[in-house]
Amino acid sequence: MTRNALERLLRPRSIAVVGASPEPASVSGLLLTNIGRFDYGGDLHLVSRSRDEVNGKPCLKSIDDLPEGVDAAVLVVPQVAVYDSVEACGKRGVGGAIIFASGFSELGDEGRAAQDRLADMARGYGMALLGPNCMGFVNYSDHVPLTFEPVPARKTMTGPKVAIIAQSGAMNGNLRAGLTARGVNVSFSLSTGNEAVTSAEDLLSALIDADDVDAFAIFVEMLRKPALFLKAVARARALGKPVVLMHPGRSQRAREAAQSHTGALAGDYQVMRTLVEREGVVVVDTLDELFDVTAILARYPVPIQSGKAAVSSNSGALRGVAIDFCEDVGMELATLSPQTLTRINEILPDFVTADNPLDLTSQGMQRPEIFGLTAQAILDDPEVGSLIVPLMGGSPAQQVAKANSLLPVMIASQKPVAFCIMGDTAPLAEEFTRLVTESGMPFGRSPDRALRAMAHVHRYGQLNTASSERAAGDLGKKLPDLKPGPLVEYRGKAWLRDLGIKTPDGDLATSVEDALAVADRIGYPVVLKAQAAQLMHKSDVGGVAVNVRDADALRDAWSRMQDSIAAKCPGLVLDGILVEAMSRPGLEMVIGGRRDANWGVVMLVGLGGIWIEALHDVKLLPPDLTVPQIVSAMHTLKGAKLLSGLRGKGPVDVQAVGEAVARLAALMLANPEITEIDVNPLIALPEGEGVIALDALFVM
């Protein structure tokens, strides 16, 4: 499938409807009604074996009778006829086909096999196949409604243009209806169904550079081509086109094959989210957020580089609500400058306290001009990055007065704004609704939704700033002869030392005499650890002894360890027993990395030791973060206060932890054979004194 094939499918100059029918309620009838309603201006060919004409337009008897090179064919045929129809289209040089029929991969192995056969054949002809089991698409820009869902025609709209991409046809229609009703200028609305050939990533890639797309709203349950998706959203970021993504699945269990804490905690959804956010994608968790964030970012696509949020309302009660809510969603409120406070005080009566959030009191009922004047004063403050204005609407006349006061300021603003009239579903004046819709301003009825959406808009600015800062290229050491499976601990620690990550002093012993010699050299107390690549969890089988204080205790621990492993792991041959010095006390952390089969490398940092089992307090990180970015991410952990020191303890060496993560990332990028790394615990010593890796697991 080529870019040209996608272009022909999405912007067809000629269309063939295969299985044409005049029945108004049939799939074909609904499709043809849409095409007529949109006044499609290209060539339209109808194909029907049983009819000579449909709605006065003559029909061809077969796909073979079509002229060579039709751009798009819509196959309104049963499942059993799909394969032959696509093959016939391929032979006639059709650019792309839409398949509504179900009965493919969604039905199991047999349907999957039929879909794979269909896909192979379509690819052989270079066709862009949409579906099967899809509802088609609407291209408002070129008046092309290739869907059986009844879609009203629409006058050409002004303002930023949004493309909707959804695997679900119903969700696609939901997003299109909701955004259009808000006055958002939807230019494309596409559903992909089973994605036998053409996926959401393909459509995104095809529209990234389009002049009639300024932002994207995407709903997908699976991203089948992660590398293509990352490339496309990186391009969107470079062009200043926001991408808002909803991807159900954040509760999905981690891969069962994971052999380390890193592998277990880095589930598919979290890996995806970590890496797409690195490219500036705004990932939302709810449908409300998908609607709201898209509406704001489409209108205000320039990322907020600095500045915090401001709230202005005529409800005093909302002030406390907004303060609490902003704290909950992690959105900081701006401190208004003295100059701004002076301007607000000049606008409002003496009894009103100028602050953020701002309570306008009931003064707007007599002086509606204060809504626009105070909004302008707040937006002019350099410390303000956005403004949310949730108001009680009042009478129809008061609603219109508020709109006339606020909308000119909002329309002229380069900073993101959101406008709310509270009251839930209480009716609004028709004139007010018309003014708001025609303005294109983000508008809703819920302050909670507006605040949450604006928090995502601020997050978009932070993501774009972070995306511009990347670690230096792959500087990791290439390792030789990496055999599949886990690497025994003492060899993994040798790799860590080679990277400049300190490990406890010690050595491998193959006899108790060797162990005593090592202990004499490094000094008591010591730790003993049984060593074998197959021994993933040494403590569970009695393979660890700590705080061994003298020679007699060492002999006893050696004997008990050998007996326990022989009983619990019969036949296991140890490489030996690692004898190490007891570590200095410090904060137990975990660092590591995982190579996802689809998405690539993702790193991990968090609280280690027993904390990782109890709290799962970890952060996933892209592998190209700079050390300062890694350190910054560490300070967003739930237990971040431990890094700075608690109860008389000083701060730990977060810089050294960040450097260790960066070195492991470089190692993984240089060695594709490494699938997992788990260093747990990594002892973070006091600030300036570095780190010590007490355990290490590498899996190839």
Side-chain angles (χ1 to χ4, degrees), residues 391-661:
L391 303 175
M392 288 303 299
S395 69
Q398 289 171 343
Q399 294 171 25
V400 172
K402 289 178 175 67
N404 286 330
S405 177
L406 271 170
L407 290 178
V409 175
M410 291 182 165
I411 291 170
S413 174
Q414 298 301 307
K415 297 177 180 179
V417 297
F419 183 18
C420 294
I421 292 294
M422 296 185 285
D424 200 20
T425 58
L428 296 173
E430 289 185 10
E431 176 66 7
F432 173 85
T433 301
R434 182 189 66 79
L435 289 170
V436 170
T437 302
E438 290 180 355
S439 74
M441 289 299 99
F443 175 78
R445 304 300 303 273
S446 166
D448 293 6
R449 287 178 58 170
L451 289 164
R452 190 179 297 277
M454 196 63 79
H456 279 291
V457 174
H458 279 267
R459 171 76 171 149
Y460 175 66
Q462 294 162 6
L463 292 172
N464 273 266
T465 299
S467 294
S468 64
E469 301 172 16
R470 306 266 172 164
D474 179 11
L475 301 176
K477 179 180 179 180
K478 182 67 178 173
L479 300 172
D481 191 26
L482 301 182
K483 297 178 181 179
L487 187 72
V488 67
E489 177 190 352
Y490 70 93
R491 294 190 183 277
K493 283 183 170 176
W495 287 2
L496 293 183
R497 290 192 294 273
D498 197 40
L499 290 175
I501 299 172
K502 187 178 179 181
T503 66
D505 193 10
D507 211 339
L508 185 71
T510 56
S511 68
V512 70
E513 287 75 18
D514 287 346
L516 289 166
V518 174
D520 285 340
R521 175 173 61 82
I522 63 177
Y524 290 95
V526 296
V527 178
L528 304 185
K529 292 184 178 182
Q531 298 292 294
Q534 299 87 349
L535 199 56
M536 302 289 294
H537 303 289
K538 297 180 281 291
S539 297
D540 296 346
V541 297
V544 177
V546 300
N547 202 26
V548 178
R549 306 199 69 82
D550 55 33
D552 288 341
L554 189 151
R555 289 181 185 276
D556 182 58
W558 182 283
S559 178
R560 283 187 288 104
M561 187 175 293
Q562 296 284 359
D563 291 344
S564 178
I565 292 173
K568 295 180 180 179
C569 304
L572 178 66
V573 178
L574 297 178
D575 290 17
I577 293 179
L578 184 60
V579 182
E580 291 183 327
M582 287 285 289
S583 171
R584 295 171 53 193
L587 179 62
E588 291 189 349
M589 302 196 69
V590 58
I591 64 173
R594 170 188 159 190
R595 188 179 307 279
D596 184 89
N598 297 311
W599 289 94
V601 174
V602 64
M603 306 306 293
L604 175 145
V605 64
L607 296 183
I610 63 171
W611 298 113
I612 193 170
E613 305 284 357
L615 301 179
H616 289 185
D617 189 10
V618 299
K619 290 289 180 183
L620 297 188
L621 311 171
D624 61 350
L625 291 186
T626 64
V627 172
Q629 288 174 324
I630 297 170
V631 171
S632 178
M634 289 164 57
H635 283 290
T636 65
L637 292 165
K638 298 185 191 77
K641 289 183 179 179
L642 294 171
L643 303 175
S644 303
L646 285 175
R647 297 193 175 184
K649 293 184 178 180
V652 302
D653 200 338
V654 291
Q655 177 73 16
V657 178
E659 290 172 356
V661 174

Side-chain angles (χ1 to χ4, degrees), residues 9-70:
L9 173 67
L10 297 178
R11 303 180 189 274
R13 292 167 296 180
S14 54
I15 296 170
V17 177
V18 180
S21 167
E23 299 299 326
S26 69
V27 170
S28 178
L30 292 167
L31 169 68
L32 290 173
T33 298
N34 281 336
I35 292 174
R37 186 184 295 126
F38 271 60
D39 196 23
Y40 171 68
D43 296 329
L44 179 63
H45 308 281
L46 305 184
V47 178
S48 173
R49 290 183 177 181
S50 59
R51 294 178 174 84
D52 294 327
E53 59 86 22
V54 169
N55 299 333
K57 186 171 181 63
C59 295
L60 302 172
K61 293 299 180 185
S62 165
I63 293 173
D64 298 337
D65 298 327
L66 286 171
E68 185 76 22
V70 170

Side-chain angles (χ1 to χ4, degrees), residues 130-432:
L130 196 62
N133 191 29
C134 79
M135 292 180 68
F137 71 87
V138 180
N139 169 354
Y140 284 102
S141 295
D142 302 303
H143 308 286
V144 182
L146 298 187
T147 179
F148 58 87
E149 180 187 5
V151 181
R154 193 188 69 195
K155 293 180 180 179
T156 301
M157 297 178 66
T158 59
K161 297 168 281 292
V162 174
I164 300 166
I165 302 173
Q167 288 164 339
S168 161
M171 193 58 64
N172 176 61
N174 172 44
L175 293 171
R176 180 183 66 244
L179 288 173
T180 301
R182 289 170 173 238
V184 176
N185 187 5
V186 175
S187 55
F188 284 87
S189 175
L190 308 111
S191 71
T192 60
N194 289 9
E195 299 187 343
V197 175
T198 303
S199 66
E201 300 93 322
D202 292 314
L203 297 177
L204 174 64
S205 299
L207 294 174
I208 285 293
D209 291 287
D211 292 336
D212 51 2
V213 178
D214 299 306
F216 292 87
I218 302 177
F219 181 98
V220 293
E221 293 148 286
M222 175 185 290
L223 288 165
R224 291 178 169 82
K225 303 171 184 175
L228 180 60
F229 186 80
L230 291 174
K231 180 180 179 181
V233 295
R235 175 65 177 162
R237 176 173 54 81
L239 293 173
K241 298 186 178 185
V243 177
V244 185
L245 170 69
M246 185 173 177
H247 187 310
R250 60 184 182 275
S251 61
Q252 180 178 339
R253 295 182 62 187
R255 291 172 181 260
E256 294 181 2
Q259 300 185 64
S260 68
H261 291 109
T262 303
L265 293 172
D268 294 344
Y269 175 86
Q270 293 300 337
V271 171
M272 176 281 301
R273 184 165 189 154
T274 298
L275 296 179
V276 302
E277 287 185 338
R278 180 62 168 154
E279 297 301 345
V281 175
V282 180
V283 182
V284 298
D285 296 325
T286 69
L287 290 170
D288 287 347
E289 291 171 351
L290 185 55
F291 280 115
D292 301 339
V293 178
T294 299
I296 298 175
L297 283 179
R299 179 63 180 81
Y300 301 100
V302 178
I304 299 173
Q305 298 298 324
S306 62
K308 300 173 184 177
V311 180
S312 177
S313 176
N314 58 356
S315 165
L318 192 70
R319 174 179 163 79
V321 171
I323 291 172
D324 288 345
F325 200 93
C326 287
E327 183 173 320
D328 290 343
V329 299
M331 181 168 63
E332 294 186 76
L333 288 166
T335 299
L336 300 181
S337 70
Q339 294 86 347
T340 302
L341 295 176
T342 298
R343 285 180 63 182
I344 293 173
N345 285 327
E346 291 171 350
I347 297 167
L348 298 176
D350 293 341
F351 62 83
V352 176
T353 301
D355 200 357
N356 179 30
L358 177 63
D359 175 14
L360 297 168
T361 71
S362 60
Q363 289 301 298
M365 297 178 67
Q366 290 76 38
R367 298 176 54 216
E369 68 273 12
I370 70 172
F371 296 107
L373 292 173
T374 54
Q376 188 65 67
I378 293 169
L379 287 168
D380 287 343
D381 192 313
E383 297 300 314
V384 171
S386 69
L387 174 63
I388 305 99
V389 185
L391 303 175
M392 288 303 299
S395 69
Q398 289 171 343
Q399 294 171 25
V400 172
K402 289 178 175 67
N404 286 330
S405 177
L406 271 170
L407 290 178
V409 175
M410 291 182 165
I411 291 170
S413 174
Q414 298 301 307
K415 297 177 180 179
V417 297
F419 183 18
C420 294
I421 292 294
M422 296 185 285
D424 200 20
T425 58
L428 296 173
E430 289 185 10
E431 176 66 7
F432 173 85

